[in-house]
Amino acid sequence: MRIKTTQVETQELMPGDLFSTAGSDYWDTIDLNESIGERVYIRTNTPTPDPERGLDVFKIEVEEK
């Protein structure tokens, strides 16, 4: 599998979206046979807090090679 990252602002994420603070420089170099959960978060349906609005994060999508 391959991890695709797309840079977005925090308020662009929809509930259920996976995201990370690590970009492709991280995801392109890790061994996907190991645990990766510590670097992935899930967007909830609560509003984005004001201090976090406009911050850049990376939307995560899992693709088959």
Side-chain angles (χ1 to χ4, degrees), residues 27-58:
W27 294 106
D28 290 345
T29 61
I30 64 164
D31 180 0
L32 293 178
N33 294 319
E34 297 179 9
S35 173
I36 58 173
E38 72 277 1
R39 298 298 301 260
V40 177
Y41 307 92
I42 188 167
R43 175 70 172 96
T44 65
N45 62 354
T46 59
T48 303
D50 285 339
E52 295 177 12
R53 289 185 70 77
L55 296 179
D56 289 331
V57 294
F58 298 91

Side-chain angles (χ1 to χ4, degrees), residues 8-28:
V8 298
E9 289 188 354
T10 50
Q11 70 273 12
E12 295 177 59
L13 294 168
M14 300 301 292
D17 283 348
L18 300 177
F19 70 97
S20 178
T21 56
S24 60
D25 56 332
Y26 173 78
W27 294 106
D28 290 345

